[in-house]
Amino acid sequence: MRRLTGAVLGLLLLAGCSSGSEAVDVNNGGEFRFVAATPSGEVIPPAERASAPEFSGTLLGGGAFSSEELAGDVAVLNFWGSWCGPCRVETPEFQEVYADVRDDGVQFLGLNVKETSEQFALAFVERFGIEFPSLYDPRGEVALAFRDYPATAIPSTIVLDRDHRVAAVYTGEVSQEDLRRVLDRVLGEV
């Protein structure tokens, strides 16, 4: 019975990061757990938004980054891993959106978490032609700073408004159309 339970849990782990309906929580003491996915981003009313935590780290390939660099722009923070099936689908779509909006006051930042080697993350970025920067956060420290949203599920995406407040949160895979809709709405705010 114990082997059967272990096998079922193993299958659930494999299925969780390849499905669009669930995301895998990777920062709860090193164990995985499933959280419900949010299939579309609901924009949080401006009066109800909380400030995003400040964070910093090292970019993939080297160089320092601070969240202060996002000031004044709308920002899309995407928590991903090269090992994550839904990330392989959404990241190239994020690149397409980024290419269209980067000159409109929108910044994208990937946050690579729980990666066993920076080389895997760099190969992922190269394979999909990703031009926006990514932090290398193998221990998930930045994700933990956002644990209230919950960025500890992979993939997760958080949209920040120009005042560095959390405007929308996704757990699970994000469609390009929905991300564009949310960005248009947040960019349209005065």
Side-chain angles (χ1 to χ4, degrees):
M1 185 65 167
R2 196 173 209 178
R3 282 188 186 170
L4 178 61
T5 302
V8 170
L9 285 174
L11 289 173
L12 286 173
L13 287 175
L14 290 174
C17 197
S18 61
S19 155
S21 64
E22 296 177 340
V24 181
D25 182 339
V26 296
N27 283 311
N28 61 342
E31 296 180 19
F32 290 83
R33 75 178 170 92
F34 297 101
V35 296
T38 51
S40 62
E42 295 301 322
V43 176
I44 299 167
E48 298 174 21
R49 294 180 188 163
S51 292
E54 298 295 323
F55 62 92
S56 61
T58 303
L59 295 169
L60 280 175
F65 182 87
S66 169
S67 58
E68 294 172 0
E69 296 178 43
L70 303 173
D73 287 335
V74 171
V76 177
L77 309 178
N78 178 246
F79 296 82
W80 65 276
S82 67
W83 43 267
C84 169
C87 300
R88 292 183 203 114
V89 174
E90 76 177 2
T91 304
E93 291 189 359
F94 279 21
Q95 173 58 40
E96 289 179 30
V97 176
Y98 170 71
D100 291 343
V101 299
R102 63 180 161 203
D103 295 331
D104 298 332
V106 179
Q107 294 189 52
F108 277 57
L109 178 67
L111 295 113
N112 174 258
V113 297
K114 293 295 183 176
E115 200 72 63
T116 58
S117 165
E118 186 176 7
Q119 295 307 314
F120 292 139
L122 289 167
F124 180 93
V125 167
E126 184 176 324
R127 174 181 175 199
F128 292 110
I130 307 306
E131 297 173 346
F132 55 87
S134 278
L135 284 181
Y136 181 56
D137 187 25
R139 295 184 349 189
E141 293 170 346
V142 176
L144 284 174
F146 282 92
R147 68 183 156 267
D148 294 335
Y149 293 107
T152 55
I154 305 303
S156 288
T157 302
I158 297 174
V159 177
L160 304 179
D161 66 15
R162 289 182 181 98
D163 295 321
H164 200 69
R165 298 176 302 172
V166 176
V169 178
Y170 300 86
T171 55
E173 185 179 324
V174 178
S175 75
Q176 183 178 147
E177 295 77 26
D178 193 64
L179 182 60
R180 288 179 187 276
R181 180 186 60 79
V182 167
L183 286 175
D184 287 345
R185 184 160 171 202
V186 174
L187 280 168
E189 295 173 355
V190 178

